[in-house]
Amino acid sequence: MSNNWQKFSTDATELLFSAVDEDDVVDAEYALPEHIELFCPQQIMQKNYALCLQFWEDGFTREELLGLVDDFLKDSNKPLAVKMRYKYIRARYKHLRFAQRLYSKKHQSGALFNMTTVLLGHFQDAFRNNNQQKLRFYGNILRLFLSKPVWSKVRFSLHHIDMDSEQGFVDYRRKEIKKLRELLANPQLTGKQFHDVRKVVSQQVSFYDTLRSLEPDNREARKISRFMAAINGLMGDRHDVMVADKLAGGSSYDR
């Protein structure tokens, strides 16, 4: 369990921001390499997690995020710049959650951190679709999760994480790819299965996003990142349609 995480230059965090910002961009010019190496040295795993942690910590303050939640609760019809700021903060949560699932021994995100990330997503769906009831419901819970005591506990847990071994990391990725293969063998997917596919894809994208931010000359990491980001983007577009339908009283997400 480590607490001494390496710190990186602003260039590295800015490269990661650019990579994460491209995660929904559909670009057909990238193809996967013939062979993908699943092995990752322990030192790189440590560096990857450290960059993801710094990306989260340096990107915003608790007070700013709490202020944004309060602002949306007062009036959900905010300018695009405000909505984008919220989106980018949530993206930092999601990226660090992927890192916890990838590199930790249990391959799980901390309960409080995971729940905060989930709530941020539901809250965003609510203000995007102007659903005032859901907005108030998730906003009030978020205010509790962003309180000082909970924040301190979450931050402590993020700094003290049990890292997996090199073999454990490979085994976990193989297991995720097997899950993906089994899900995609179905001619149709339920909303939950669709979400599970997207989760596996997004998690693998996040690994290569981080890797290419630390190794800008790693062309293979960039190719895999961009190829999978295209799939991520197409699924994200479909997910938004399904969520909007569900919030409007439809049932397409559950079918």
Side-chain angles (χ1 to χ4, degrees), residues 9 48 50 108 123 125 151 160 219 225 231:
S9 68
N48 279 9
Q108 292 176 351
F123 188 71
D125 288 337
W151 178 271
H160 297 79
R219 295 177 64 188
S225 161
I231 300 171

Side-chain angles (χ1 to χ4, degrees), residues 125-142:
D125 288 337
F127 69 67
R128 271 182 176 175
N129 294 282
N130 198 28
N131 188 312
Q132 297 301 315
Q133 182 183 356
K134 296 286 187 185
L135 191 77
R136 287 191 299 273
F137 177 74
Y138 290 117
N140 287 324
I141 302 174
L142 263 176

Side-chain angles (χ1 to χ4, degrees), residues 174-230:
R174 281 186 178 142
K175 182 181 170 185
E176 290 290 282
I177 292 166
K178 182 173 182 282
K179 185 196 300 181
L180 190 61
R181 188 182 292 117
E182 289 169 353
L183 283 165
L184 293 179
N186 297 318
Q188 289 184 313
L189 298 175
T190 63
K192 184 185 180 305
Q193 289 172 326
F194 179 88
H195 180 73
D196 288 343
V197 168
R198 191 171 175 225
K199 191 162 64 175
V200 174
V201 171
S202 298
Q203 204 158 272
Q204 298 306 315
V205 173
S206 78
F207 170 70
Y208 290 104
D209 281 350
T210 308
L211 194 60
R212 74 180 174 103
S213 301
L214 287 170
E215 303 173 8
D217 296 329
N218 190 330
R219 295 177 64 188
E220 182 173 289
R222 180 173 176 80
K223 280 176 69 174
I224 300 170
S225 161
R226 297 300 302 121
F227 180 87
M228 297 187 77

Side-chain angles (χ1 to χ4, degrees), residues 9-178:
S9 68
T10 306
D11 288 347
T13 55
E14 286 180 353
L15 281 171
L16 182 53
F17 180 86
S18 298
V20 170
D21 195 31
E22 290 180 339
D23 279 350
D24 290 332
V25 177
V26 179
D27 192 338
E29 73 172 78
Y30 288 94
L32 286 176
E34 286 187 18
H35 175 73
I36 296 175
E37 177 59 64
L38 295 182
F39 176 77
C40 181
Q42 185 79 31
Q43 184 183 11
I44 300 299
M45 290 167 59
Q46 294 270 359
K47 280 187 171 183
N48 279 9
Y49 183 79
L51 179 59
C52 296
L53 181 60
Q54 184 177 334
F55 182 62
W56 179 79
E57 288 198 306
D58 291 357
F60 67 99
T61 64
R62 181 189 73 87
E63 291 79 8
E64 182 193 3
L65 180 52
L66 189 56
L68 281 171
V69 171
D70 287 339
D71 286 346
F72 277 111
L73 284 171
K74 291 171 190 169
D75 178 14
S76 61
N77 189 24
K78 292 293 177 194
L80 180 60
V82 177
K83 292 178 178 177
M84 291 302 290
R85 180 60 185 151
Y86 181 94
K87 176 189 174 183
Y88 287 138
I89 292 174
R90 179 176 170 248
R92 292 174 191 271
Y93 268 89
K94 288 166 64 181
H95 195 79
L96 183 51
R97 183 175 64 174
F98 289 138
Q100 286 192 302
R101 290 174 176 171
L102 280 167
Y103 309 119
S104 70
K105 193 168 285 186
K106 292 183 177 179
H107 298 288
Q108 292 176 351
S109 178
L112 289 172
F113 186 78
N114 178 61
M115 183 53 68
T116 307
T117 311
V118 170
L119 289 167
L120 288 168
H122 287 318
F123 188 71
Q124 181 175 266
D125 288 337
F127 69 67
R128 271 182 176 175
N129 294 282
N130 198 28
N131 188 312
Q132 297 301 315
Q133 182 183 356
K134 296 286 187 185
L135 191 77
R136 287 191 299 273
F137 177 74
Y138 290 117
N140 287 324
I141 302 174
L142 263 176
R143 290 171 79 176
L144 175 64
F145 274 75
L146 294 174
S147 64
K148 279 186 179 179
V150 177
W151 178 271
S152 297
K153 191 171 183 180
V154 165
R155 194 168 174 276
F156 181 86
S157 69
L158 292 172
H159 276 265
H160 297 79
I161 178 175
D162 267 336
M163 298 288 288
D164 202 357
S165 64
E166 293 171 351
Q167 187 57 50
F169 179 71
V170 172
D171 291 345
Y172 175 71
R173 292 189 69 197
R174 281 186 178 142
K175 182 181 170 185
E176 290 290 282
I177 292 166
K178 182 173 182 282

